[in-house]
Amino acid sequence: MASIPQGSSTQHSSVDTGNNTVPLIIITILFFMWGLLTSMNDVLIPHLKSVYTLSYTQAMLVQFCFFGAYFVISLPAGALIKKLGYQNGAVAGLIIAASGCALFYPAATSGYAIFLLALFVLASGITILQVAANPYVTILGPARTASSRLTLTQAFNSLGTTIAPWLGGILILGGAVLTADQLSLLPAADVIEYRAKEAATVQGPYLALAAALLGLALFFAFAKLPKIQHEDTPGVSGDMASNKESALSHKHLVLGAIGIFLYVGAEVAIGSLLINFFGEENIAGLKEADAAHLVSYYWGGAMVGRFIGFAVMRYVSPGKTLAFNCICAVLLVLTATFSEGKLAMWAIIAVGLFNSIMFPTIFSMALHNLGKFTGQGSGVLCMAIVGGALVPLIQGALADTFGLQISFLLPAACYLYIMYFGIKYASIYKAAPDSEPAHL
Protein backbone atom coordinates (compact mmCIF):
# COMPACT_ATOMS: atom_id res chain seq x y z
CA MET A 1 0.00 0.00 0.00
CA ALA A 2 1.27 3.46 -0.85
CA SER A 3 2.44 5.81 1.82
CA ILE A 4 -0.10 8.28 3.10
CA PRO A 5 0.12 11.75 1.51
CA GLN A 6 0.19 14.58 3.98
CA GLY A 7 -2.73 16.92 4.09
CA SER A 8 -1.12 20.01 5.53
CA SER A 9 1.73 22.15 4.44
CA THR A 10 5.04 22.12 6.22
CA GLN A 11 7.66 24.73 6.85
CA HIS A 12 11.22 24.26 8.03
CA SER A 13 14.24 26.35 8.68
CA SER A 14 16.97 26.68 6.10
CA VAL A 15 18.25 23.21 5.25
CA ASP A 16 21.48 22.38 3.50
CA THR A 17 20.10 19.99 0.88
CA GLY A 18 23.56 18.69 0.15
CA ASN A 19 23.70 17.03 3.57
CA ASN A 20 20.39 15.18 3.33
CA THR A 21 21.56 12.04 1.57
CA VAL A 22 21.94 9.92 4.71
CA PRO A 23 18.57 11.00 6.27
CA LEU A 24 16.82 10.35 2.94
CA ILE A 25 18.38 6.87 2.75
CA ILE A 26 17.19 6.12 6.31
CA ILE A 27 13.65 7.32 5.54
CA THR A 28 13.61 5.34 2.29
CA ILE A 29 14.53 2.24 4.30
CA LEU A 30 11.57 3.00 6.59
CA PHE A 31 9.23 2.99 3.59
CA PHE A 32 10.74 -0.32 2.50
CA MET A 33 10.33 -1.83 5.96
CA TRP A 34 6.66 -1.01 6.46
CA GLY A 35 5.92 -2.29 2.96
CA LEU A 36 7.72 -5.52 3.86
CA LEU A 37 5.94 -5.90 7.20
CA THR A 38 2.51 -5.22 5.71
CA SER A 39 2.91 -7.71 2.85
CA MET A 40 4.23 -10.44 5.18
CA ASN A 41 0.62 -10.85 6.31
CA ASP A 42 -0.12 -12.53 2.97
CA VAL A 43 2.23 -15.32 4.06
CA LEU A 44 1.07 -15.40 7.68
CA ILE A 45 -2.60 -15.90 6.79
CA PRO A 46 -2.28 -19.25 4.98
CA HIS A 47 0.41 -20.35 7.44
CA LEU A 48 -1.66 -19.68 10.56
CA LYS A 49 -4.78 -21.01 8.84
CA SER A 50 -2.98 -24.31 8.34
CA VAL A 51 -1.34 -24.44 11.78
CA TYR A 52 -4.51 -23.72 13.76
CA THR A 53 -7.01 -25.25 11.27
CA LEU A 54 -8.85 -21.96 10.88
CA SER A 55 -11.75 -21.02 8.65
CA TYR A 56 -11.16 -18.24 6.13
CA THR A 57 -13.10 -15.84 8.36
CA GLN A 58 -10.91 -16.68 11.35
CA ALA A 59 -7.73 -16.41 9.28
CA MET A 60 -8.75 -12.96 8.07
CA LEU A 61 -8.64 -11.72 11.66
CA VAL A 62 -4.95 -11.18 10.86
CA GLN A 63 -5.85 -8.30 8.57
CA PHE A 64 -8.68 -7.19 10.87
CA CYS A 65 -6.25 -6.66 13.75
CA PHE A 66 -3.52 -5.22 11.54
CA PHE A 67 -5.55 -2.65 9.62
CA GLY A 68 -7.88 -2.06 12.54
CA ALA A 69 -4.88 -0.42 14.20
CA TYR A 70 -4.96 2.34 11.55
CA PHE A 71 -8.48 3.24 12.66
CA VAL A 72 -7.78 3.01 16.40
CA ILE A 73 -4.29 4.54 16.48
CA SER A 74 -4.39 7.29 13.81
CA LEU A 75 -5.77 10.01 16.09
CA PRO A 76 -3.65 9.08 19.15
CA ALA A 77 -0.64 8.94 16.81
CA GLY A 78 -1.25 12.55 15.80
CA ALA A 79 -1.37 13.60 19.44
CA LEU A 80 1.81 11.65 20.20
CA ILE A 81 3.66 13.28 17.29
CA LYS A 82 2.51 16.70 18.44
CA LYS A 83 3.96 16.01 21.89
CA LEU A 84 7.21 14.28 20.90
CA GLY A 85 7.94 15.91 17.55
CA TYR A 86 8.26 14.14 14.23
CA GLN A 87 11.73 12.70 14.68
CA ASN A 88 11.15 11.31 18.18
CA GLY A 89 7.70 10.16 17.04
CA ALA A 90 9.28 8.10 14.28
CA VAL A 91 11.64 6.55 16.82
CA ALA A 92 8.68 5.70 19.06
CA GLY A 93 6.86 4.12 16.11
CA LEU A 94 9.90 1.98 15.27
CA ILE A 95 10.28 0.79 18.87
CA ILE A 96 6.57 -0.12 19.12
CA ALA A 97 6.72 -1.95 15.77
CA ALA A 98 9.83 -3.83 16.98
CA SER A 99 7.91 -4.81 20.14
CA GLY A 100 5.12 -6.21 17.97
CA CYS A 101 7.62 -8.30 16.01
CA ALA A 102 9.21 -9.53 19.24
CA LEU A 103 5.79 -10.68 20.49
CA PHE A 104 5.76 -13.27 17.72
CA TYR A 105 8.24 -15.29 19.77
CA PRO A 106 5.90 -15.98 22.75
CA ALA A 107 2.91 -16.11 20.36
CA ALA A 108 4.36 -19.24 18.75
CA THR A 109 3.83 -21.12 22.01
CA SER A 110 0.75 -19.29 23.27
CA GLY A 111 -1.84 -19.58 20.50
CA TYR A 112 -3.57 -17.59 17.77
CA ALA A 113 -4.88 -14.82 20.03
CA ILE A 114 -1.34 -13.70 20.93
CA PHE A 115 -0.44 -13.59 17.24
CA LEU A 116 -3.37 -11.22 16.72
CA LEU A 117 -2.20 -9.04 19.62
CA ALA A 118 1.32 -8.97 18.18
CA LEU A 119 -0.04 -7.88 14.80
CA PHE A 120 -2.06 -5.07 16.38
CA VAL A 121 1.02 -3.79 18.25
CA LEU A 122 3.14 -4.05 15.11
CA ALA A 123 0.57 -2.15 13.02
CA SER A 124 0.23 0.51 15.74
CA GLY A 125 3.95 1.21 15.44
CA ILE A 126 3.71 1.38 11.65
CA THR A 127 0.79 3.81 11.91
CA ILE A 128 2.78 6.15 14.17
CA LEU A 129 5.78 5.75 11.90
CA GLN A 130 3.83 6.76 8.80
CA VAL A 131 2.36 9.82 10.46
CA ALA A 132 5.83 10.88 11.62
CA ALA A 133 8.05 9.98 8.66
CA ASN A 134 6.04 11.05 5.61
CA PRO A 135 6.61 14.82 5.90
CA TYR A 136 10.40 14.43 5.74
CA VAL A 137 10.19 13.21 2.17
CA THR A 138 9.02 16.63 1.01
CA ILE A 139 11.55 18.71 2.95
CA LEU A 140 14.76 16.72 2.46
CA GLY A 141 15.75 18.63 -0.64
CA PRO A 142 14.48 21.30 -3.03
CA ALA A 143 10.72 21.69 -3.39
CA ARG A 144 10.95 21.26 -7.16
CA THR A 145 12.23 17.70 -6.75
CA ALA A 146 9.85 16.67 -3.95
CA SER A 147 7.69 14.65 -6.35
CA SER A 148 10.65 12.62 -7.58
CA ARG A 149 11.72 11.91 -3.98
CA LEU A 150 8.21 10.73 -3.13
CA THR A 151 8.19 8.47 -6.18
CA LEU A 152 11.51 7.01 -5.07
CA THR A 153 10.37 6.30 -1.50
CA GLN A 154 7.05 4.84 -2.65
CA ALA A 155 8.92 2.63 -5.10
CA PHE A 156 10.94 1.22 -2.21
CA ASN A 157 7.70 0.74 -0.25
CA SER A 158 6.43 -1.33 -3.18
CA LEU A 159 9.75 -3.14 -3.34
CA GLY A 160 9.18 -4.21 0.27
CA THR A 161 5.68 -5.52 -0.53
CA THR A 162 7.13 -7.39 -3.51
CA ILE A 163 9.98 -9.06 -1.64
CA ALA A 164 8.00 -10.05 1.48
CA PRO A 165 5.94 -12.93 -0.02
CA TRP A 166 9.02 -14.41 -1.69
CA LEU A 167 11.06 -14.11 1.50
CA GLY A 168 8.24 -15.37 3.69
CA GLY A 169 7.69 -18.32 1.38
CA ILE A 170 11.29 -19.41 1.94
CA LEU A 171 11.54 -18.72 5.69
CA ILE A 172 8.03 -19.54 6.91
CA LEU A 173 6.31 -21.76 4.33
CA GLY A 174 9.31 -23.85 3.34
CA GLY A 175 8.44 -26.87 5.50
CA ALA A 176 6.12 -29.76 4.71
CA VAL A 177 2.50 -28.73 5.26
CA LEU A 178 -0.05 -31.32 6.34
CA THR A 179 -3.68 -31.04 5.34
CA ALA A 180 -6.55 -31.25 7.82
CA ASP A 181 -7.27 -34.80 6.61
CA GLN A 182 -3.65 -35.83 7.19
CA LEU A 183 -3.65 -34.28 10.66
CA SER A 184 -6.81 -36.17 11.56
CA LEU A 185 -4.92 -39.44 11.05
CA LEU A 186 -2.16 -38.53 13.51
CA PRO A 187 -2.19 -39.12 17.28
CA ALA A 188 -3.12 -36.08 19.35
CA ALA A 189 0.41 -35.72 20.71
CA ASP A 190 1.88 -35.67 17.20
CA VAL A 191 -0.64 -33.05 16.10
CA ILE A 192 0.33 -30.80 19.01
CA GLU A 193 4.02 -31.29 18.22
CA TYR A 194 3.46 -30.52 14.54
CA ARG A 195 1.51 -27.34 15.25
CA ALA A 196 4.11 -26.14 17.74
CA LYS A 197 6.90 -26.75 15.23
CA GLU A 198 5.06 -24.97 12.40
CA ALA A 199 4.10 -22.01 14.63
CA ALA A 200 7.74 -21.66 15.68
CA THR A 201 8.86 -21.03 12.09
CA VAL A 202 7.83 -17.38 12.45
CA GLN A 203 10.04 -16.79 15.49
CA GLY A 204 13.38 -16.38 13.71
CA PRO A 205 12.18 -14.12 10.86
CA TYR A 206 10.21 -11.80 13.15
CA LEU A 207 12.99 -11.56 15.73
CA ALA A 208 15.29 -10.53 12.86
CA LEU A 209 12.73 -7.91 11.82
CA ALA A 210 12.54 -6.67 15.43
CA ALA A 211 16.31 -6.26 15.51
CA ALA A 212 16.28 -4.41 12.18
CA LEU A 213 13.58 -2.02 13.42
CA LEU A 214 15.50 -1.30 16.62
CA GLY A 215 18.62 -0.62 14.54
CA LEU A 216 16.66 1.83 12.40
CA ALA A 217 15.31 3.48 15.57
CA LEU A 218 18.91 4.15 16.67
CA PHE A 219 19.88 5.54 13.28
CA PHE A 220 16.78 7.73 13.17
CA ALA A 221 17.30 8.97 16.74
CA PHE A 222 20.79 10.28 15.95
CA ALA A 223 20.20 11.45 12.37
CA LYS A 224 20.35 15.20 11.85
CA LEU A 225 16.94 15.99 10.43
CA PRO A 226 15.34 19.39 9.87
CA LYS A 227 12.61 20.47 12.26
CA ILE A 228 9.08 20.50 10.90
CA GLN A 229 6.59 23.19 11.77
CA HIS A 230 3.03 23.01 10.52
CA GLU A 231 1.05 25.86 9.07
CA ASP A 232 -2.64 25.81 8.28
CA THR A 233 -3.15 25.10 4.61
CA PRO A 234 -4.43 28.24 2.91
CA GLY A 235 -7.74 28.09 1.09
CA VAL A 236 -7.67 27.08 -2.57
CA SER A 237 -9.54 28.96 -5.27
CA GLY A 238 -10.67 31.80 -3.08
CA ASP A 239 -13.14 30.96 -0.35
CA MET A 240 -14.31 27.78 -2.04
CA ALA A 241 -13.70 25.70 1.08
CA SER A 242 -14.27 28.31 3.78
CA ASN A 243 -18.05 28.39 3.42
CA LYS A 244 -18.32 24.77 4.58
CA GLU A 245 -18.80 23.76 8.19
CA SER A 246 -16.38 20.83 8.12
CA ALA A 247 -14.43 18.57 5.81
CA LEU A 248 -17.37 16.16 5.73
CA SER A 249 -19.49 18.88 4.11
CA HIS A 250 -17.51 18.22 0.92
CA LYS A 251 -19.23 15.44 -1.01
CA HIS A 252 -16.13 14.47 -2.98
CA LEU A 253 -14.22 13.88 0.28
CA VAL A 254 -16.95 11.61 1.67
CA LEU A 255 -17.15 9.63 -1.58
CA GLY A 256 -13.35 9.53 -1.71
CA ALA A 257 -13.20 8.14 1.84
CA ILE A 258 -15.56 5.35 0.78
CA GLY A 259 -13.26 4.80 -2.20
CA ILE A 260 -10.18 4.51 0.05
CA PHE A 261 -12.09 2.12 2.34
CA LEU A 262 -13.06 -0.14 -0.57
CA TYR A 263 -9.74 0.10 -2.41
CA VAL A 264 -7.57 -0.85 0.57
CA GLY A 265 -10.08 -3.57 1.42
CA ALA A 266 -10.03 -5.03 -2.10
CA GLU A 267 -6.22 -4.84 -2.45
CA VAL A 268 -5.62 -6.47 0.93
CA ALA A 269 -8.35 -9.11 0.52
CA ILE A 270 -6.97 -10.26 -2.83
CA GLY A 271 -3.39 -10.37 -1.59
CA SER A 272 -4.42 -12.24 1.55
CA LEU A 273 -6.09 -15.08 -0.35
CA LEU A 274 -3.72 -15.51 -3.28
CA ILE A 275 -1.69 -18.34 -1.75
CA ASN A 276 -4.84 -20.33 -0.96
CA PHE A 277 -6.28 -19.46 -4.39
CA PHE A 278 -3.18 -20.74 -6.18
CA GLY A 279 -3.40 -23.90 -4.09
CA GLU A 280 -6.87 -24.77 -5.43
CA GLU A 281 -6.71 -27.86 -7.67
CA ASN A 282 -8.70 -26.20 -10.46
CA ILE A 283 -6.37 -23.17 -10.47
CA ALA A 284 -2.74 -24.28 -10.08
CA GLY A 285 -2.59 -26.79 -7.23
CA LEU A 286 0.59 -25.17 -5.90
CA LYS A 287 2.19 -25.78 -2.54
CA GLU A 288 2.15 -22.79 -0.22
CA ALA A 289 5.87 -22.02 -0.58
CA ASP A 290 5.64 -22.03 -4.39
CA ALA A 291 2.43 -19.99 -4.36
CA ALA A 292 4.06 -17.36 -2.10
CA HIS A 293 6.63 -16.61 -4.78
CA LEU A 294 3.84 -15.80 -7.24
CA VAL A 295 2.28 -13.34 -4.78
CA SER A 296 5.40 -11.23 -5.31
CA TYR A 297 4.26 -10.67 -8.90
CA TYR A 298 0.97 -9.22 -7.64
CA TRP A 299 2.77 -6.62 -5.52
CA GLY A 300 5.54 -6.16 -8.10
CA GLY A 301 2.90 -5.24 -10.65
CA ALA A 302 1.78 -2.42 -8.38
CA MET A 303 5.36 -1.15 -8.22
CA VAL A 304 5.75 -1.14 -12.02
CA GLY A 305 2.29 0.32 -12.55
CA ARG A 306 3.06 3.24 -10.26
CA PHE A 307 5.77 4.50 -12.59
CA ILE A 308 3.60 3.91 -15.68
CA GLY A 309 0.71 5.75 -14.06
CA PHE A 310 2.95 8.65 -13.05
CA ALA A 311 3.85 9.16 -16.71
CA VAL A 312 0.32 8.59 -18.06
CA MET A 313 -1.32 11.08 -15.69
CA ARG A 314 0.80 13.88 -17.06
CA TYR A 315 -1.40 13.65 -20.17
CA VAL A 316 -4.62 11.96 -19.01
CA SER A 317 -6.79 13.20 -16.14
CA PRO A 318 -6.38 11.26 -12.88
CA GLY A 319 -10.10 10.49 -12.75
CA LYS A 320 -10.14 8.93 -16.22
CA THR A 321 -6.98 6.97 -15.47
CA LEU A 322 -8.53 5.75 -12.23
CA ALA A 323 -11.72 4.66 -14.02
CA PHE A 324 -9.75 2.86 -16.74
CA ASN A 325 -7.68 0.97 -14.19
CA CYS A 326 -10.83 -0.04 -12.31
CA ILE A 327 -12.47 -1.37 -15.48
CA CYS A 328 -9.37 -3.48 -16.16
CA ALA A 329 -9.31 -4.69 -12.54
CA VAL A 330 -12.99 -5.71 -12.65
CA LEU A 331 -12.51 -7.63 -15.90
CA LEU A 332 -9.45 -9.41 -14.51
CA VAL A 333 -11.17 -10.34 -11.23
CA LEU A 334 -14.21 -11.66 -13.12
CA THR A 335 -11.88 -13.70 -15.35
CA ALA A 336 -10.22 -15.17 -12.26
CA THR A 337 -13.62 -15.90 -10.72
CA PHE A 338 -15.22 -17.67 -13.67
CA SER A 339 -12.26 -19.40 -15.33
CA GLU A 340 -9.72 -22.00 -14.28
CA GLY A 341 -6.05 -22.91 -14.56
CA LYS A 342 -3.32 -20.49 -15.54
CA LEU A 343 -5.79 -18.02 -17.05
CA ALA A 344 -7.44 -17.51 -13.66
CA MET A 345 -4.07 -17.46 -11.89
CA TRP A 346 -2.45 -14.80 -14.08
CA ALA A 347 -5.64 -12.75 -14.29
CA ILE A 348 -5.75 -12.25 -10.52
CA ILE A 349 -1.99 -11.55 -10.40
CA ALA A 350 -2.40 -8.86 -13.09
CA VAL A 351 -4.85 -6.96 -10.88
CA GLY A 352 -1.81 -5.69 -8.97
CA LEU A 353 -0.64 -3.73 -12.02
CA PHE A 354 -3.91 -1.78 -12.11
CA ASN A 355 -4.05 -1.30 -8.34
CA SER A 356 -0.88 0.79 -8.58
CA ILE A 357 -2.21 4.33 -8.92
CA MET A 358 -5.53 3.91 -7.13
CA PHE A 359 -4.62 4.80 -3.55
CA PRO A 360 -2.70 8.06 -4.17
CA THR A 361 -5.12 9.11 -6.92
CA ILE A 362 -8.25 8.65 -4.81
CA PHE A 363 -6.48 10.35 -1.89
CA SER A 364 -5.47 13.39 -3.95
CA MET A 365 -8.84 13.78 -5.66
CA ALA A 366 -10.67 13.54 -2.33
CA LEU A 367 -8.49 16.30 -0.81
CA HIS A 368 -8.80 18.65 -3.80
CA ASN A 369 -9.92 22.19 -2.90
CA LEU A 370 -10.57 21.45 0.78
CA GLY A 371 -8.63 24.56 1.81
CA LYS A 372 -8.49 24.95 5.57
CA PHE A 373 -10.15 21.53 5.98
CA THR A 374 -7.35 19.68 4.18
CA GLY A 375 -5.78 18.41 7.40
CA GLN A 376 -9.12 17.23 8.73
CA GLY A 377 -9.90 15.58 5.40
CA SER A 378 -6.56 13.78 5.42
CA GLY A 379 -7.40 12.35 8.84
CA VAL A 380 -10.76 11.09 7.57
CA LEU A 381 -9.07 9.37 4.63
CA CYS A 382 -6.42 7.80 6.86
CA MET A 383 -9.11 6.34 9.09
CA ALA A 384 -10.83 4.92 6.00
CA ILE A 385 -7.87 2.56 5.64
CA VAL A 386 -9.82 0.42 8.12
CA GLY A 387 -11.31 -1.07 4.95
CA GLY A 388 -8.24 -3.30 4.99
CA ALA A 389 -9.61 -4.79 8.21
CA LEU A 390 -13.27 -5.23 7.30
CA VAL A 391 -13.43 -6.11 3.58
CA PRO A 392 -11.05 -9.11 3.90
CA LEU A 393 -13.09 -10.35 6.88
CA ILE A 394 -16.26 -10.18 4.79
CA GLN A 395 -14.56 -11.95 1.87
CA GLY A 396 -13.37 -14.64 4.29
CA ALA A 397 -16.97 -15.21 5.37
CA LEU A 398 -18.04 -15.39 1.71
CA ALA A 399 -15.27 -17.91 1.00
CA ASP A 400 -16.45 -20.10 3.89
CA THR A 401 -20.07 -19.91 2.69
CA PHE A 402 -19.88 -19.93 -1.13
CA GLY A 403 -16.33 -21.02 -1.92
CA LEU A 404 -13.01 -19.23 -2.30
CA GLN A 405 -13.21 -18.49 -6.01
CA ILE A 406 -16.69 -16.96 -5.97
CA SER A 407 -15.72 -14.75 -3.00
CA PHE A 408 -13.61 -12.61 -5.35
CA LEU A 409 -16.82 -11.01 -6.59
CA LEU A 410 -16.57 -8.78 -3.51
CA PRO A 411 -13.35 -6.97 -4.60
CA ALA A 412 -14.86 -6.71 -8.10
CA ALA A 413 -17.79 -4.80 -6.59
CA CYS A 414 -15.32 -2.57 -4.72
CA TYR A 415 -13.56 -1.65 -7.98
CA LEU A 416 -16.91 -0.83 -9.60
CA TYR A 417 -17.56 1.82 -6.95
CA ILE A 418 -14.06 3.30 -7.39
CA MET A 419 -14.69 3.43 -11.15
CA TYR A 420 -17.85 5.46 -10.43
CA PHE A 421 -15.83 7.84 -8.24
CA GLY A 422 -13.21 8.31 -10.98
CA ILE A 423 -15.83 9.02 -13.65
CA LYS A 424 -17.86 11.35 -11.43
CA TYR A 425 -14.83 13.53 -10.63
CA ALA A 426 -12.87 13.06 -13.87
CA SER A 427 -12.91 16.83 -14.42
CA ILE A 428 -12.26 17.87 -10.81
CA TYR A 429 -9.01 19.66 -11.68
CA LYS A 430 -10.41 21.72 -14.57
CA ALA A 431 -11.43 24.46 -12.13
CA ALA A 432 -7.78 24.96 -11.23
CA PRO A 433 -5.71 24.15 -14.36
CA ASP A 434 -2.44 25.32 -12.84
CA SER A 435 -2.63 22.94 -9.89
CA GLU A 436 -1.48 19.37 -9.99
CA PRO A 437 -2.86 16.56 -7.87
CA ALA A 438 -0.39 15.79 -5.10
CA HIS A 439 1.54 12.55 -4.88
CA LEU A 440 0.46 10.86 -8.10
Side-chain angles (χ1 to χ4, degrees):
M1 186 183 67
S3 59
I4 301 173
Q6 296 304 299
S8 55
S9 62
T10 58
Q11 187 181 49
H12 58 89
S13 56
S14 179
V15 178
D16 181 3
T17 59
N19 294 328
N20 288 327
T21 302
V22 173
L24 184 59
I25 289 173
I26 295 173
I27 291 170
T28 300
I29 294 173
L30 298 186
F31 276 70
F32 172 82
M33 285 299 295
W34 72 58
L36 182 82
L37 291 163
T38 301
S39 191
M40 281 291 283
N41 291 350
D42 295 345
V43 173
L44 278 176
I45 287 171
H47 179 67
L48 296 178
K49 182 179 185 297
S50 174
V51 170
Y52 295 109
T53 319
L54 305 173
S55 67
Y56 282 110
T57 305
Q58 291 169 329
M60 284 302 189
L61 288 174
V62 167
Q63 301 292 26
F64 180 81
C65 291
F66 191 90
F67 285 92
Y70 280 86
F71 184 81
V72 175
I73 302 298
S74 286
L75 292 180
L80 180 68
I81 299 305
K82 186 175 181 180
K83 182 176 181 179
L84 298 181
Y86 281 82
Q87 186 165 356
N88 291 333
V91 173
L94 284 164
I95 292 173
I96 293 172
S99 301
C101 288
L103 278 174
F104 274 69
Y105 194 89
T109 57
S110 303
Y112 188 48
I114 306 302
F115 274 114
L116 297 179
L117 173 63
L119 285 160
F120 182 85
V121 174
L122 169 59
S124 298
I126 292 176
T127 302
I128 297 168
L129 185 61
Q130 289 203 36
V131 173
N134 270 287
Y136 283 115
V137 179
T138 60
I139 68 172
L140 288 176
R144 60 184 173 80
T145 59
S147 179
S148 64
R149 290 194 301 279
L150 185 71
T151 298
L152 174 67
T153 54
Q154 288 190 341
F156 273 84
N157 179 270
S158 294
L159 180 62
T161 63
T162 301
I163 289 176
W166 174 81
L167 190 63
I170 295 173
L171 299 177
I172 297 175
L173 301 178
V177 178
L178 301 181
T179 64
D181 291 336
Q182 291 171 325
L183 285 174
S184 65
L185 300 176
L186 295 177
D190 290 346
V191 171
I192 294 173
E193 182 182 354
Y194 166 79
R195 287 179 173 171
K197 181 180 177 181
E198 286 298 299
T201 59
V202 305
Q203 290 178 320
Y206 274 87
L207 282 180
L209 288 170
L213 290 169
L214 287 176
L216 284 173
L218 286 174
F219 278 117
F220 211 93
F222 293 104
K224 293 182 178 180
L225 298 176
K227 300 296 182 183
I228 298 178
Q229 296 177 344
H230 277 289
E231 289 181 337
D232 290 334
T233 306
V236 182
S237 300
D239 291 326
M240 188 172 179
S242 62
N243 59 357
K244 301 283 187 176
E245 293 182 359
S246 71
L248 294 177
S249 301
H250 295 264
K251 185 178 179 180
H252 71 283
L253 171 68
V254 175
L255 296 181
I258 297 172
I260 289 290
F261 179 95
L262 294 177
Y263 165 70
V264 176
E267 179 195 49
V268 172
I270 291 174
S272 300
L273 292 171
L274 285 183
I275 292 176
N276 292 107
F277 184 70
F278 298 154
E280 296 280 284
E281 289 300 324
N282 66 321
I283 303 299
L286 294 177
K287 294 181 179 179
E288 290 183 349
D290 296 327
H293 296 162
L294 287 174
V295 178
S296 292
Y297 290 108
Y298 173 74
W299 294 107
M303 178 173 61
V304 173
R306 183 164 294 154
F307 289 107
I308 297 173
F310 180 80
V312 168
M313 282 188 286
R314 291 184 175 275
Y315 305 98
V316 182
S317 80
K320 290 179 180 178
T321 306
L322 180 63
F324 173 81
N325 277 31
C326 286
I327 291 171
C328 293
V330 169
L331 293 175
L332 287 168
V333 173
L334 291 178
T335 300
T337 303
F338 296 109
S339 65
E340 296 182 348
K342 289 188 176 181
L343 176 61
M345 182 183 78
W346 287 109
I348 201 68
I349 288 173
V351 173
L353 178 67
F354 296 97
N355 277 341
S356 54
I357 56 93
M358 291 191 193
F359 183 92
T361 305
I362 299 168
F363 210 107
S364 300
M365 291 173 66
L367 288 181
H368 185 65
N369 271 355
L370 289 192
K372 65 183 181 181
F373 297 121
T374 301
Q376 183 185 7
S378 181
V380 170
L381 295 175
C382 289
M383 295 182 73
I385 292 174
V386 75
L390 298 178
V391 175
L393 197 65
I394 295 171
Q395 185 169 351
L398 292 175
D400 289 327
T401 305
F402 301 106
L404 178 58
Q405 196 167 5
I406 206 71
S407 72
F408 282 91
L409 289 176
L410 177 62
C414 294
Y415 289 126
L416 282 174
Y417 172 84
I418 301 167
M419 178 190 70
Y420 156 76
F421 177 77
I423 293 172
K424 181 174 179 64
Y425 294 106
S427 60
I428 193 170
Y429 294 107
K430 287 184 178 180
D434 294 331
S435 65
E436 289 188 25
H439 309 325
L440 297 183

